[in-house]
Amino acid sequence: MPPAGDLFVVCKQCGSQVSPYITECPYCGHRLRQRAPKLPRVKRRSGPLRRLVPSPSLWRSPSAVGTARRRPFSRHSEYARGESPPHATVALVAAGAAGWVLASGGYVSFGKLAIIGPLQGDWWKLLSSPFVYRNGFYAFIALLALAIFGWLLERRRGPVVVLAVFFGGAVTGALAALAVYDLPIVSGANAGALALLCAWAVPDLQAARRGYYYEGDLLGVAAIAVILLALPYARPEASWLAGVVGAAFGLLAGAGLHQIDPPEL
């Protein structure tokens, strides 16, 4: 038998050069050997070399490992791939910008939309107060945070969740301010923006706590949250208590959504 490194063998019958991995000469039919030589075994590459980037579903939690194999795409995969425009986020930002223009331009009285003192039957102010601003700096910071985290959460969960989290955080924050202060002043979307921020950050917070990979920048998220919480010290029409309660609502909502249906990204 020729060495394993030979490229050919010579037939003793006709002198032709033939492959070392055949048993008969294709030219004269002479029997070269009883059985073909075994092919050398090629070692398979290890997993990290064959797959440099792990599946995103394996970065979240141990429970997501099993669900990723059974269900490649979640119910919200169309939003995760960015195929659907963020309609809900655009509508919320547009409503806030329109409220700032109407209030600052004097077209609508600030007191008719914002919460100043007890409601006295004007319960619709719970829904209108997140969209009215007296100061352009406050409007810019709140609407920017709303646009960023509303868009991110809508890509992950869809428009219905964005609307529910925003209004849930804003309304619960306003109700907390009404219950604590004798003369509450609540306006702007600091509570709603904090609710969206916290709801979006929950998966990354849980991944960081368990030592898994996460895509978000938690330091940047924390910096934006601090700015939103500090806004009431610069603008008295923004309620600090409403912002804290809105952030707590967002954490609870995000934890519940993550427990029910862990996101795929």
Side-chain angles (χ1 to χ4, degrees):
M1 180 180 296
D6 290 350
L7 299 179
F8 58 87
V9 294
V10 178
C11 177
K12 297 180 180 180
Q13 183 71 21
C14 63
S16 302
Q17 296 179 353
V18 296
S19 171
Y21 300 108
I22 60 177
T23 57
E24 294 182 356
C25 177
Y27 302 102
C28 64
H30 177 69
R31 189 76 172 180
L32 300 176
R33 60 184 62 83
Q34 295 299 325
R35 64 181 63 182
K38 295 183 178 180
L39 297 175
R41 178 176 295 180
V42 180
K43 295 183 178 181
R44 296 184 62 185
R45 294 182 179 270
S46 59
L49 294 178
R50 289 185 289 109
R51 189 176 185 181
L52 298 178
V53 181
S55 174
S57 60
L58 305 182
W59 299 336
R60 297 299 171 187
S61 63
S63 61
V65 176
T67 57
R69 296 174 180 174
R70 297 191 302 267
R71 183 196 55 190
F73 300 100
S74 67
R75 297 193 303 267
H76 314 288
S77 58
E78 62 177 353
Y79 300 104
R81 296 192 300 269
E83 296 178 358
S84 179
H87 297 297
T89 303
V90 171
L92 292 175
V93 174
W100 171 67
V101 171
L102 293 175
S104 61
Y107 300 101
V108 177
S109 175
F110 179 79
K112 291 183 178 181
L113 298 178
I115 297 176
I116 303 177
L119 291 179
Q120 296 180 352
D122 297 334
W123 294 100
W124 50 269
K125 289 185 178 181
L126 293 173
L127 301 177
S128 64
S129 60
F131 303 107
V132 60
Y133 300 90
R134 178 176 289 177
N135 179 265
F137 174 76
Y138 176 27
F140 174 77
I141 296 297
L143 293 179
L144 179 62
L146 170 60
I148 293 173
F149 295 101
W151 169 64
L152 291 173
L153 186 62
E154 189 166 353
R155 287 179 64 239
R156 180 182 292 172
R157 296 294 183 180
V160 176
V161 172
V162 169
L163 295 175
V165 171
F166 175 81
F167 284 107
V171 171
T172 53
L175 289 175
L178 287 167
V180 172
Y181 298 114
D182 295 332
L183 186 62
I185 300 177
V186 181
S187 69
N190 63 323
L194 281 167
L196 293 173
L197 180 149
C198 293
W200 176 84
V202 163
D204 287 350
L205 289 174
Q206 293 191 1
R209 182 173 62 86
R210 298 177 182 178
Y212 295 114
Y213 175 84
Y214 59 93
E215 296 178 339
D217 183 6
L218 291 180
L219 291 178
V221 173
I224 298 176
V226 169
I227 293 174
L228 290 173
L229 290 172
L231 274 175
Y233 296 98
R235 300 304 309 171
E237 66 269 21
S239 175
W240 179 83
L241 179 60
V244 172
V245 174
F249 180 88
L251 288 175
L252 292 175
L257 291 170
H258 185 72
Q259 186 70 23
I260 295 173
D261 185 14
E264 294 294 335
L265 79 137

